[in-house]
Amino acid sequence: MKKIILITGGSRGIGAAVAHLAAEQGYAVCISYLHNQAAADAVVAAIRLKNGEAMAVQADVALEDDIVRLFKQVDAAFGPLTALVNNAGVLAGQARVDEMDSARIQRIFATNVIGSFICAREAVRRMSTRYGGTGGAIVNLSSRASRLGSPGEYVDYAASKAAIDTLSIGLSKEVAAEGIRVNTVSPGIIYTDIHASGGEPQRVDRVKETIPMKRGGYPEEVARAVLWLLSDEASYTTGTTLDVAGGR
Ligand code: NAP
């Protein structure tokens, strides 16, 4: 069966690393992105250079209509989806809760939580035996922040990732008998651009001494966990969380 994967937010960081590894493992790859078309095109070009199949679609996961269009474009280009990685995620500038306004919190939750729910809905409608599908696998990107809370930095982001943890637990039970496995990867502190969007590009190096392994992680190390959970090697694994965090 043709392996077809959609990775939201696949233009940069962890999503791009998942895209490259998925292509190496024989998936036809669709990545979505928000604004950075040049980065998305570069991921697609690199995959095609190695004779892989790839496409990029601009779609804001905070907008339901964009998600519906994104999934239809995957259907049309590649056929029925077999894997979804709910990777697109954002944080905002470091702040205390008493400094946050509702627009900021709504943006975080619209992207990280509601976007993941609606993508999961579209994937289940295609994969579930209940809808005539042949099964599939979903990996949701959470964060160690969901259990640490990120005080003084972004409690809103941490809380959005706690919602992802619970989405994974509940959805995994709903669809376990319908051929779909749902798991969570919970990265620690990984070298990507996300820390710059929080206002501190060097954050990984500032906090790395607090990590048992004394270093930040690399997107490729997260990608390997994601691809394992999607693979048949993880055929009896659902509803679980895999920490990729250099220790607890
Ligand atoms: P990143 O480097 O900032 O990349 C974010 C990606 O998401 C980009 O491809 C971006 O597209 C896309 N994106 C952002 N908002 C979007 C939206 N509304 N709709 C569609 N795509 C959107 O992030 P990252 O560090 O790789 O993080 C990936 C995931 O891992 C996130 O869920 C994050 O919370 C989680 N995570 C990261 C870390 C870490 O330390 N890096 C730790 C724990 C968890 P554009 O390129 O177009 O902007």
Side-chain angles (χ1 to χ4, degrees):
M1 197 172 78
K2 186 174 177 184
K3 297 194 293 183
I4 299 165
I5 189 169
L6 169 61
I7 304 146
T8 63
S11 47
R12 294 183 287 119
I14 292 167
V18 172
H20 290 300
L21 189 58
E24 280 173 28
Q25 296 186 6
Y27 284 89
V29 174
C30 178
I31 58 168
S32 72
Y33 65 97
L34 182 58
H35 295 310
N36 200 332
Q37 186 180 352
D41 287 347
V43 172
V44 168
I47 290 172
R48 288 182 180 161
L49 200 62
K50 295 182 178 171
N51 297 317
E53 261 189 287
M55 66 186 280
V57 176
Q58 192 287 327
D60 183 347
V61 296
L63 302 175
E64 184 171 11
D65 288 352
D66 276 22
I67 294 175
V68 170
R69 172 177 54 78
L70 166 66
F71 275 77
K72 284 185 178 161
Q73 285 184 246
V74 178
D75 293 338
F78 291 151
L81 194 73
T82 61
L84 166 69
V85 183
N86 265 324
N87 168 78
V90 289
L91 46 73
Q94 293 167 345
R96 288 166 47 102
V97 170
D98 49 273
E99 297 164 341
M100 293 177 187
D101 60 23
S102 98
R104 164 198 167 119
I105 301 166
Q106 292 202 14
R107 184 176 77 88
I108 300 290
F109 275 74
T111 303
N112 298 5
V113 182
I114 300 175
S116 295
F117 265 83
I118 302 300
C119 287
R121 179 193 77 193
E122 292 300 309
V124 168
R125 287 179 182 175
R126 286 160 174 80
M127 295 172 180
S128 169
T129 53
R130 182 190 177 102
Y131 293 93
T134 55
I138 298 173
V139 167
N140 296 317
L141 266 293
S142 178
S143 170
R144 286 279 291 135
S146 75
R147 283 161 285 160
L148 299 172
S150 306
E153 295 192 317
Y154 17 72
V155 175
D156 50 353
Y157 169 85
S160 78
K161 292 302 184 178
I164 292 299
D165 294 345
T166 306
L167 162 64
S168 296
I169 293 167
L171 181 63
S172 71
K173 293 177 182 176
E174 280 187 359
V175 298
E178 299 171 17
I180 306 175
R181 295 181 301 99
V182 183
N183 290 292
T184 307
V185 168
S186 189
I189 300 174
I190 311 299
Y191 285 102
T192 72
D193 299 339
I194 204 169
H195 308 286
S197 64
E200 190 184 357
Q202 307 306 324
R203 179 169 179 269
V204 181
D205 289 328
R206 175 173 63 81
V207 302
K208 67 183 180 187
E209 287 305 313
T210 66
I211 298 167
M213 284 182 146
K214 306 288 181 204
R215 68 169 178 87
Y218 294 95
E220 294 73 19
E221 294 178 294
V222 182
R224 287 197 286 272
V226 172
L227 267 299
W228 180 77
L229 284 168
L230 293 175
S231 77
D232 290 342
E233 297 294 307
S235 55
Y236 200 51
T237 301
T238 195
T240 199
T241 297
L242 186 46
D243 283 1
V244 183
R248 289 175 74 85

